[in-house]
């Protein structure tokens, strides 16, 4: 096992999660919950099959990930975070905050999945109309996206599901999505560009007032 060989909490933590792809696997499992191997591959474009398998084995050995066999008719192997692995959410969230100022225009070779916005949106979104009725704003699609569910001042952001009927859908290129939810693209401009379908006020309810700058993620 690779190790820094240092008697230091940071070094020992990095011994377990400092390898390439490890924290992105954690991101997928924090965002989507229980995943099949194929789900992880779709959410990690560019990872080699043998590397993903190796990382999952290492993470199991470190008690960060558990695997389970779903009963029939599913009859599949799924992966999920242990309590120890789920405790990395705070680390991942702080790293997202730190990396937010780096999110300029996407490079042509960069991949994007709409569900990657799920963790940032949990930190960013607030209910700006807490007395209004329950609403759902979908970012992306039901296949790859997340649903912002707002009700009585409480925000939940979950993987998009067919059981939800969104009041508004935000679908755009990656740069525009990030700009909208970072507060650098006005909601009116997004609506004019037809990036929003449905109730624009539902989007304004959860996005209005967001500002991301200098590493901060605050409403």
């Amino acid at each position: 096992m690779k190790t820094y060989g240092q008697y230091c909490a940071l070094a020992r933590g990095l011994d377990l999660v400092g390898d390439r792809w490890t924290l992105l696997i954690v991101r997928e499992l924090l965002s989507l919950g229980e995943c099949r191997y194929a789900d992880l591959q779709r959410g990690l474009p560019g990872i080699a099959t043998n590397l993903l398998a190796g990382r999952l084995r290492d993470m199991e050995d470190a008690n960060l990930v558990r695997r389970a066999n779903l009963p029939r008719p599913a009859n599949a192997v799924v992966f999920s975070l242990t309590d120890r692995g789920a405790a990395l959410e705070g680390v991942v969230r702080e790293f997202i905050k730190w990396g937010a100022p780096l999110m300029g225009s996407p490079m042509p070779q960069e991949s994007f999945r709409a569900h990657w916005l799920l963790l940032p949106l949990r930190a960013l979104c607030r209910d700006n109309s807490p007395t209004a009725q329950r609403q759902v704003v979908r970012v992306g699609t039901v296949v790859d996206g997340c649903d912002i569910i707002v009700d009585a001042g409480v925000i939940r952001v979950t993987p998009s599901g067919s059981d939800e009927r969104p009041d508004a859908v935000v679908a755009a290129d990656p740069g525009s999505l990030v700009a909208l939810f970072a507060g650098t693209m006005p909601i009116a401009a997004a609506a004019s560009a037809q990036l929003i379908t449905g109730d624009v006020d539902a989007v304004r309810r959860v996005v209005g007032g967001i500002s991301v700058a200098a590493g901060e993620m605050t409403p």
Side-chain angles (χ1 to χ4, degrees):
M1 181 177 177
K2 295 179 182 178
T3 176
Y4 286 103
Q6 297 180 10
Y7 186 60
C8 162
L10 176 59
R12 288 195 172 183
L14 288 173
D15 284 345
L16 299 184
V17 301
D19 282 336
R20 190 166 181 246
W21 295 105
T22 299
L23 283 180
L24 295 186
I25 294 172
V26 172
R27 177 199 65 193
E28 292 301 296
L29 295 174
L30 283 172
S31 299
L32 302 178
E34 194 173 74
C35 286
R36 304 182 190 209
Y37 191 87
D39 299 329
L40 291 171
Q41 283 187 305
R42 280 192 295 271
L44 297 165
I47 193 170
T49 300
N50 61 336
L51 182 56
L52 176 56
R55 287 290 182 269
L56 288 170
R57 283 195 300 269
D58 292 342
M59 294 171 76
E60 284 185 83
D61 291 343
N63 191 33
L64 301 176
V65 165
R66 68 170 64 90
R67 74 172 66 204
N69 294 298
L70 293 180
R72 294 180 179 179
N75 197 28
V77 176
V78 292
F79 299 88
S80 60
L81 292 171
T82 63
D83 290 343
R84 180 72 170 162
L88 286 165
E89 181 170 3
V91 175
V92 172
R93 182 170 295 182
E94 289 301 315
F95 208 94
I96 290 171
K97 288 171 62 177
W98 185 84
L102 305 176
M103 296 296 290
S105 298
M107 301 297 288
Q109 71 274 17
E110 288 184 313
S111 301
F112 178 75
R113 301 289 185 268
H115 74 263
W116 292 346
L117 293 173
L118 191 149
L119 294 177
L121 290 178
R122 283 179 179 170
L124 286 170
C125 293
R126 298 290 185 275
D127 186 355
N128 296 302
S129 301
T131 60
Q133 293 185 336
R134 181 182 188 272
Q135 290 181 299
V136 178
V137 175
R138 175 161 295 160
V139 182
T141 68
V142 70
V143 175
D144 173 41
C146 44
D147 290 341
I148 307 168
I149 303 165
V150 55
D151 187 17
V154 177
I155 292 277
R156 291 190 301 117
V157 187
T158 66
S160 294
S162 57
D163 54 331
E164 292 289 352
R165 299 184 63 182
D167 298 278
V169 176
V170 183
D173 62 277
S176 295
L177 282 177
V178 170
L180 176 63
F181 287 103
T184 58
M185 174 185 287
I187 296 172
S192 296
Q194 298 184 328
L195 307 184
I196 301 170
T197 57
D199 186 353
V200 176
D201 284 336
V203 178
R204 189 171 286 111
R205 178 179 178 181
V206 297
V207 177
I210 284 177
S211 177
V212 178
E216 295 295 327
M217 290 202 304
T218 55

